[in-house]
Amino acid sequence: YLAAFYQNCGNYKGFGDTKFVPDLTPEQFWGFIQLTSFYQQNKSLVEGIWDLVKKEVFEYKNPYYQIGFKDQEGSSGYYSSNIPKSDVEFVQTFLEAQGLSPLNTRLLKNEDGSYIVRVASTLLPGAPQIKTHEFEGKKITIEYGDFYPFLTQVVSNMEQALDFCANDTQRNMVQDYIRHFKFGNMEDHKSSQRQWIKDVGPSIETNIGFIETYLDPSKTRAEWEGFVACVDKVQSKKLNDLVNNAEVLIPKLPWDKAFEKDKFNRPDFTSLEIITFASSGTPLGINTVSYTHLRAHETPEHLVCRLLLEKKK
């Protein structure tokens, strides 16, 4: 159970959206916790946490069984429990009108019916960028500083990484990351992805940010992920040989040409040995980038991921 929990960054499947529970009784699970040295040193803390989470650990009926909107018998960490799907769609209309991306946000609803859109950034609540808007008779506040303690560490490490960039493209990418995590503007993250695509053939591949939307029931808010991998140059050469022959091979595929793009957009095809992948699921491959506009107008990058395991005798 613990291995599955850490692999999925929680007790819902990263791919599949359904919950898994321990194959133990609550009493057995609590007995295991009491045997740990951490519990012995922090009894009151652990007991307080256990009281808060034990129902969510074992409850398997709706709305706990699957990720979804509350009014559709689901659970989601992107929204407060009083937000139905219609509220999400209403605020999405507002965000689109403001030109704001929901990717790095969460949505909360106050008792008076007003909304708070929390934006992940190092800007603290109370910063001058915070504004309350009136939209179709409702108040919507844009509040920066969500996940401030974590993103402050990310920015600090990104600033240190600038000294180790191999070229100006990588340096520009890291600077875009820093601006994005500081101020919460998704346009800066898009810019980082443009630089990432341009960085062809690096020995070390990395990417970070709020990228995939699989775990949001509205598929508009993204999950944090970050990975570091080393490039398998031998395997990558084989994949690029495949790319070199793609325009000959594609017409021979068993489907109509209507299912293919009018023009073959040559990708940078890379095989990776994953060193670490911080997300709710380690993919077998990545078809980058996630932004539709960039996929349409920039050279794509396809990554084949393999988990690097240390061999021990």
PDB file of all heavy atoms in Angstrom, residues 246-267 287 302:
ATOM      1  N   ALA A 246      10.303   7.837 -41.863  1.00  0.00           N
ATOM      2  CA  ALA A 246       8.884   7.972 -41.550  1.00  0.00           C
ATOM      3  C   ALA A 246       8.031   8.287 -42.771  1.00  0.00           C
ATOM      4  O   ALA A 246       6.938   7.740 -42.939  1.00  0.00           O
ATOM      5  CB  ALA A 246       8.690   9.052 -40.486  1.00  0.00           C
ATOM      6  N   GLU A 247       8.516   9.174 -43.632  1.00  0.00           N
ATOM      7  CA  GLU A 247       7.695   9.573 -44.780  1.00  0.00           C
ATOM      8  C   GLU A 247       7.515   8.442 -45.783  1.00  0.00           C
ATOM      9  O   GLU A 247       6.588   8.468 -46.591  1.00  0.00           O
ATOM     10  CB  GLU A 247       8.324  10.805 -45.444  1.00  0.00           C
ATOM     11  CG  GLU A 247       8.227  12.041 -44.563  1.00  0.00           C
ATOM     12  CD  GLU A 247       8.808  13.284 -45.207  1.00  0.00           C
ATOM     13  OE1 GLU A 247      10.012  13.523 -45.039  1.00  0.00           O
ATOM     14  OE2 GLU A 247       8.044  14.000 -45.877  1.00  0.00           O
ATOM     15  N   VAL A 248       8.390   7.440 -45.715  1.00  0.00           N
ATOM     16  CA  VAL A 248       8.220   6.237 -46.539  1.00  0.00           C
ATOM     17  C   VAL A 248       7.283   5.253 -45.849  1.00  0.00           C
ATOM     18  O   VAL A 248       6.453   4.599 -46.485  1.00  0.00           O
ATOM     19  CB  VAL A 248       9.588   5.569 -46.807  1.00  0.00           C
ATOM     20  CG1 VAL A 248       9.401   4.259 -47.569  1.00  0.00           C
ATOM     21  CG2 VAL A 248      10.502   6.513 -47.575  1.00  0.00           C
ATOM     22  N   LEU A 249       7.388   5.185 -44.518  1.00  0.00           N
ATOM     23  CA  LEU A 249       6.628   4.187 -43.762  1.00  0.00           C
ATOM     24  C   LEU A 249       5.175   4.606 -43.516  1.00  0.00           C
ATOM     25  O   LEU A 249       4.275   3.760 -43.527  1.00  0.00           O
ATOM     26  CB  LEU A 249       7.318   3.931 -42.418  1.00  0.00           C
ATOM     27  CG  LEU A 249       8.719   3.326 -42.478  1.00  0.00           C
ATOM     28  CD1 LEU A 249       9.348   3.300 -41.092  1.00  0.00           C
ATOM     29  CD2 LEU A 249       8.665   1.920 -43.063  1.00  0.00           C
ATOM     30  N   ILE A 250       4.933   5.896 -43.291  1.00  0.00           N
ATOM     31  CA  ILE A 250       3.585   6.360 -42.931  1.00  0.00           C
ATOM     32  C   ILE A 250       2.528   5.982 -43.973  1.00  0.00           C
ATOM     33  O   ILE A 250       1.436   5.510 -43.610  1.00  0.00           O
ATOM     34  CB  ILE A 250       3.591   7.879 -42.668  1.00  0.00           C
ATOM     35  CG1 ILE A 250       4.306   8.168 -41.342  1.00  0.00           C
ATOM     36  CG2 ILE A 250       2.167   8.439 -42.623  1.00  0.00           C
ATOM     37  CD1 ILE A 250       4.506   9.639 -41.039  1.00  0.00           C
ATOM     38  N   PRO A 251       2.785   6.149 -45.277  1.00  0.00           N
ATOM     39  CA  PRO A 251       1.763   5.755 -46.267  1.00  0.00           C
ATOM     40  C   PRO A 251       1.416   4.266 -46.244  1.00  0.00           C
ATOM     41  O   PRO A 251       0.373   3.863 -46.758  1.00  0.00           O
ATOM     42  CB  PRO A 251       2.401   6.150 -47.607  1.00  0.00           C
ATOM     43  CG  PRO A 251       3.392   7.214 -47.262  1.00  0.00           C
ATOM     44  CD  PRO A 251       3.938   6.813 -45.931  1.00  0.00           C
ATOM     45  N   LYS A 252       2.281   3.446 -45.634  1.00  0.00           N
ATOM     46  CA  LYS A 252       2.050   1.999 -45.591  1.00  0.00           C
ATOM     47  C   LYS A 252       1.262   1.566 -44.347  1.00  0.00           C
ATOM     48  O   LYS A 252       0.949   0.387 -44.200  1.00  0.00           O
ATOM     49  CB  LYS A 252       3.387   1.266 -45.639  1.00  0.00           C
ATOM     50  CG  LYS A 252       4.172   1.539 -46.928  1.00  0.00           C
ATOM     51  CD  LYS A 252       5.494   0.809 -46.934  1.00  0.00           C
ATOM     52  CE  LYS A 252       6.279   1.105 -48.226  1.00  0.00           C
ATOM     53  NZ  LYS A 252       7.573   0.406 -48.271  1.00  0.00           N
ATOM     54  N   LEU A 253       0.976   2.512 -43.475  1.00  0.00           N
ATOM     55  CA  LEU A 253       0.225   2.172 -42.268  1.00  0.00           C
ATOM     56  C   LEU A 253      -1.222   1.820 -42.613  1.00  0.00           C
ATOM     57  O   LEU A 253      -1.777   2.342 -43.587  1.00  0.00           O
ATOM     58  CB  LEU A 253       0.264   3.337 -41.283  1.00  0.00           C
ATOM     59  CG  LEU A 253       1.658   3.655 -40.710  1.00  0.00           C
ATOM     60  CD1 LEU A 253       1.622   4.936 -39.887  1.00  0.00           C
ATOM     61  CD2 LEU A 253       2.164   2.508 -39.852  1.00  0.00           C
ATOM     62  N   PRO A 254      -1.860   0.939 -41.813  1.00  0.00           N
ATOM     63  CA  PRO A 254      -3.177   0.392 -42.180  1.00  0.00           C
ATOM     64  C   PRO A 254      -4.349   1.305 -41.845  1.00  0.00           C
ATOM     65  O   PRO A 254      -5.319   0.885 -41.207  1.00  0.00           O
ATOM     66  CB  PRO A 254      -3.227  -0.910 -41.365  1.00  0.00           C
ATOM     67  CG  PRO A 254      -2.428  -0.603 -40.148  1.00  0.00           C
ATOM     68  CD  PRO A 254      -1.298   0.285 -40.617  1.00  0.00           C
ATOM     69  N   TRP A 255      -4.277   2.577 -42.232  1.00  0.00           N
ATOM     70  CA  TRP A 255      -5.419   3.475 -42.099  1.00  0.00           C
ATOM     71  C   TRP A 255      -5.348   4.547 -43.171  1.00  0.00           C
ATOM     72  O   TRP A 255      -4.304   4.778 -43.785  1.00  0.00           O
ATOM     73  CB  TRP A 255      -5.494   4.106 -40.705  1.00  0.00           C
ATOM     74  CG  TRP A 255      -4.235   4.755 -40.238  1.00  0.00           C
ATOM     75  CD1 TRP A 255      -3.691   5.929 -40.655  1.00  0.00           C
ATOM     76  CD2 TRP A 255      -3.338   4.252 -39.232  1.00  0.00           C
ATOM     77  NE1 TRP A 255      -2.538   6.208 -39.997  1.00  0.00           N
ATOM     78  CE2 TRP A 255      -2.287   5.182 -39.104  1.00  0.00           C
ATOM     79  CE3 TRP A 255      -3.326   3.110 -38.420  1.00  0.00           C
ATOM     80  CZ2 TRP A 255      -1.238   5.007 -38.202  1.00  0.00           C
ATOM     81  CZ3 TRP A 255      -2.280   2.953 -37.533  1.00  0.00           C
ATOM     82  CH2 TRP A 255      -1.256   3.880 -37.437  1.00  0.00           C
ATOM     83  N   ASP A 256      -6.457   5.212 -43.375  1.00  0.00           N
ATOM     84  CA  ASP A 256      -6.565   6.208 -44.430  1.00  0.00           C
ATOM     85  C   ASP A 256      -5.692   7.427 -44.124  1.00  0.00           C
ATOM     86  O   ASP A 256      -5.487   7.777 -42.963  1.00  0.00           O
ATOM     87  CB  ASP A 256      -8.034   6.638 -44.566  1.00  0.00           C
ATOM     88  CG  ASP A 256      -8.254   7.474 -45.814  1.00  0.00           C
ATOM     89  OD1 ASP A 256      -8.090   8.703 -45.728  1.00  0.00           O
ATOM     90  OD2 ASP A 256      -8.584   6.882 -46.861  1.00  0.00           O
ATOM     91  N   LYS A 257      -5.191   8.090 -45.167  1.00  0.00           N
ATOM     92  CA  LYS A 257      -4.324   9.256 -44.973  1.00  0.00           C
ATOM     93  C   LYS A 257      -5.059  10.421 -44.305  1.00  0.00           C
ATOM     94  O   LYS A 257      -4.423  11.358 -43.800  1.00  0.00           O
ATOM     95  CB  LYS A 257      -3.746   9.715 -46.307  1.00  0.00           C
ATOM     96  CG  LYS A 257      -4.769  10.228 -47.312  1.00  0.00           C
ATOM     97  CD  LYS A 257      -4.073  10.673 -48.595  1.00  0.00           C
ATOM     98  CE  LYS A 257      -5.081  11.234 -49.597  1.00  0.00           C
ATOM     99  NZ  LYS A 257      -4.401  11.675 -50.849  1.00  0.00           N
ATOM    100  N   ALA A 258      -6.395  10.354 -44.265  1.00  0.00           N
ATOM    101  CA  ALA A 258      -7.172  11.394 -43.584  1.00  0.00           C
ATOM    102  C   ALA A 258      -6.869  11.440 -42.090  1.00  0.00           C
ATOM    103  O   ALA A 258      -7.084  12.464 -41.436  1.00  0.00           O
ATOM    104  CB  ALA A 258      -8.668  11.154 -43.804  1.00  0.00           C
ATOM    105  N   PHE A 259      -6.349  10.334 -41.554  1.00  0.00           N
ATOM    106  CA  PHE A 259      -6.007  10.284 -40.136  1.00  0.00           C
ATOM    107  C   PHE A 259      -4.618  10.845 -39.851  1.00  0.00           C
ATOM    108  O   PHE A 259      -4.204  10.915 -38.691  1.00  0.00           O
ATOM    109  CB  PHE A 259      -6.098   8.836 -39.619  1.00  0.00           C
ATOM    110  CG  PHE A 259      -7.500   8.312 -39.587  1.00  0.00           C
ATOM    111  CD1 PHE A 259      -7.980   7.502 -40.602  1.00  0.00           C
ATOM    112  CD2 PHE A 259      -8.354   8.646 -38.546  1.00  0.00           C
ATOM    113  CE1 PHE A 259      -9.276   7.021 -40.587  1.00  0.00           C
ATOM    114  CE2 PHE A 259      -9.652   8.172 -38.508  1.00  0.00           C
ATOM    115  CZ  PHE A 259     -10.120   7.355 -39.536  1.00  0.00           C
ATOM    116  N   GLU A 260      -3.885  11.206 -40.873  1.00  0.00           N
ATOM    117  CA  GLU A 260      -2.550  11.771 -40.721  1.00  0.00           C
ATOM    118  C   GLU A 260      -2.573  13.266 -41.018  1.00  0.00           C
ATOM    119  O   GLU A 260      -3.456  13.760 -41.724  1.00  0.00           O
ATOM    120  CB  GLU A 260      -1.559  11.071 -41.666  1.00  0.00           C
ATOM    121  CG  GLU A 260      -1.335   9.598 -41.377  1.00  0.00           C
ATOM    122  CD  GLU A 260      -0.528   9.378 -40.102  1.00  0.00           C
ATOM    123  OE1 GLU A 260       0.113  10.332 -39.626  1.00  0.00           O
ATOM    124  OE2 GLU A 260      -0.550   8.248 -39.584  1.00  0.00           O
ATOM    125  N   LYS A 261      -1.583  13.980 -40.487  1.00  0.00           N
ATOM    126  CA  LYS A 261      -1.449  15.394 -40.799  1.00  0.00           C
ATOM    127  C   LYS A 261      -1.047  15.561 -42.260  1.00  0.00           C
ATOM    128  O   LYS A 261      -0.411  14.680 -42.847  1.00  0.00           O
ATOM    129  CB  LYS A 261      -0.394  16.043 -39.889  1.00  0.00           C
ATOM    130  CG  LYS A 261      -0.806  16.108 -38.431  1.00  0.00           C
ATOM    131  CD  LYS A 261       0.252  16.810 -37.602  1.00  0.00           C
ATOM    132  CE  LYS A 261      -0.188  16.938 -36.156  1.00  0.00           C
ATOM    133  NZ  LYS A 261       0.834  17.613 -35.318  1.00  0.00           N
ATOM    134  N   ASP A 262      -1.424  16.708 -42.824  1.00  0.00           N
ATOM    135  CA  ASP A 262      -1.091  16.973 -44.228  1.00  0.00           C
ATOM    136  C   ASP A 262       0.415  16.998 -44.450  1.00  0.00           C
ATOM    137  O   ASP A 262       0.910  16.561 -45.487  1.00  0.00           O
ATOM    138  CB  ASP A 262      -1.695  18.316 -44.681  1.00  0.00           C
ATOM    139  CG  ASP A 262      -3.222  18.271 -44.691  1.00  0.00           C
ATOM    140  OD1 ASP A 262      -3.775  17.166 -44.837  1.00  0.00           O
ATOM    141  OD2 ASP A 262      -3.843  19.336 -44.548  1.00  0.00           O
ATOM    142  N   LYS A 263       1.138  17.500 -43.467  1.00  0.00           N
ATOM    143  CA  LYS A 263       2.585  17.585 -43.576  1.00  0.00           C
ATOM    144  C   LYS A 263       3.226  16.924 -42.366  1.00  0.00           C
ATOM    145  O   LYS A 263       2.856  17.181 -41.231  1.00  0.00           O
ATOM    146  CB  LYS A 263       3.024  19.060 -43.655  1.00  0.00           C
ATOM    147  CG  LYS A 263       4.526  19.231 -43.809  1.00  0.00           C
ATOM    148  CD  LYS A 263       4.901  20.718 -43.854  1.00  0.00           C
ATOM    149  CE  LYS A 263       6.423  20.882 -43.951  1.00  0.00           C
ATOM    150  NZ  LYS A 263       6.817  22.315 -43.954  1.00  0.00           N
ATOM    151  N   PHE A 264       4.184  16.054 -42.599  1.00  0.00           N
ATOM    152  CA  PHE A 264       4.891  15.370 -41.525  1.00  0.00           C
ATOM    153  C   PHE A 264       5.812  16.364 -40.816  1.00  0.00           C
ATOM    154  O   PHE A 264       6.686  16.970 -41.427  1.00  0.00           O
ATOM    155  CB  PHE A 264       5.707  14.197 -42.079  1.00  0.00           C
ATOM    156  CG  PHE A 264       6.563  13.516 -41.037  1.00  0.00           C
ATOM    157  CD1 PHE A 264       5.978  12.817 -39.997  1.00  0.00           C
ATOM    158  CD2 PHE A 264       7.955  13.584 -41.107  1.00  0.00           C
ATOM    159  CE1 PHE A 264       6.771  12.189 -39.041  1.00  0.00           C
ATOM    160  CE2 PHE A 264       8.738  12.956 -40.163  1.00  0.00           C
ATOM    161  CZ  PHE A 264       8.146  12.257 -39.124  1.00  0.00           C
ATOM    162  N   ASN A 265       5.576  16.547 -39.536  1.00  0.00           N
ATOM    163  CA  ASN A 265       6.378  17.465 -38.729  1.00  0.00           C
ATOM    164  C   ASN A 265       7.435  16.645 -38.002  1.00  0.00           C
ATOM    165  O   ASN A 265       7.136  15.962 -37.016  1.00  0.00           O
ATOM    166  CB  ASN A 265       5.479  18.213 -37.740  1.00  0.00           C
ATOM    167  CG  ASN A 265       6.145  19.456 -37.200  1.00  0.00           C
ATOM    168  OD1 ASN A 265       7.258  19.794 -37.590  1.00  0.00           O
ATOM    169  ND2 ASN A 265       5.468  20.139 -36.298  1.00  0.00           N
ATOM    170  N   ARG A 266       8.646  16.708 -38.462  1.00  0.00           N
ATOM    171  CA  ARG A 266       9.722  15.840 -37.984  1.00  0.00           C
ATOM    172  C   ARG A 266      10.029  16.093 -36.502  1.00  0.00           C
ATOM    173  O   ARG A 266      10.370  17.197 -36.098  1.00  0.00           O
ATOM    174  CB  ARG A 266      10.977  16.100 -38.807  1.00  0.00           C
ATOM    175  CG  ARG A 266      12.170  15.234 -38.421  1.00  0.00           C
ATOM    176  CD  ARG A 266      13.402  15.663 -39.198  1.00  0.00           C
ATOM    177  NE  ARG A 266      14.552  14.893 -38.781  1.00  0.00           N
ATOM    178  CZ  ARG A 266      14.911  13.733 -39.322  1.00  0.00           C
ATOM    179  NH1 ARG A 266      14.191  13.242 -40.319  1.00  0.00           N
ATOM    180  NH2 ARG A 266      15.968  13.078 -38.895  1.00  0.00           N
ATOM    181  N   PRO A 267       9.916  15.083 -35.646  1.00  0.00           N
ATOM    182  CA  PRO A 267      10.183  15.274 -34.219  1.00  0.00           C
ATOM    183  C   PRO A 267      11.649  14.995 -33.877  1.00  0.00           C
ATOM    184  O   PRO A 267      12.392  14.392 -34.654  1.00  0.00           O
ATOM    185  CB  PRO A 267       9.289  14.216 -33.567  1.00  0.00           C
ATOM    186  CG  PRO A 267       9.321  13.083 -34.558  1.00  0.00           C
ATOM    187  CD  PRO A 267       9.385  13.741 -35.930  1.00  0.00           C
ATOM    188  N   ASN A 287       4.674  12.591 -25.431  1.00  0.00           N
ATOM    189  CA  ASN A 287       4.534  13.276 -26.713  1.00  0.00           C
ATOM    190  C   ASN A 287       4.450  14.769 -26.410  1.00  0.00           C
ATOM    191  O   ASN A 287       3.401  15.293 -26.089  1.00  0.00           O
ATOM    192  CB  ASN A 287       3.272  12.813 -27.440  1.00  0.00           C
ATOM    193  CG  ASN A 287       3.116  13.497 -28.786  1.00  0.00           C
ATOM    194  OD1 ASN A 287       4.033  14.131 -29.273  1.00  0.00           O
ATOM    195  ND2 ASN A 287       1.953  13.352 -29.386  1.00  0.00           N
ATOM    196  N   HIS A 302       9.519  13.788 -29.047  1.00  0.00           N
ATOM    197  CA  HIS A 302       8.942  12.554 -28.536  1.00  0.00           C
ATOM    198  C   HIS A 302       9.978  11.868 -27.652  1.00  0.00           C
ATOM    199  O   HIS A 302      11.110  11.640 -28.074  1.00  0.00           O
ATOM    200  CB  HIS A 302       8.534  11.619 -29.681  1.00  0.00           C
ATOM    201  CG  HIS A 302       7.488  12.209 -30.581  1.00  0.00           C
ATOM    202  ND1 HIS A 302       6.333  12.771 -30.103  1.00  0.00           N
ATOM    203  CD2 HIS A 302       7.428  12.326 -31.930  1.00  0.00           C
ATOM    204  CE1 HIS A 302       5.597  13.205 -31.112  1.00  0.00           C
ATOM    205  NE2 HIS A 302       6.250  12.955 -32.226  1.00  0.00           N
TER     206      HIS A 302
END
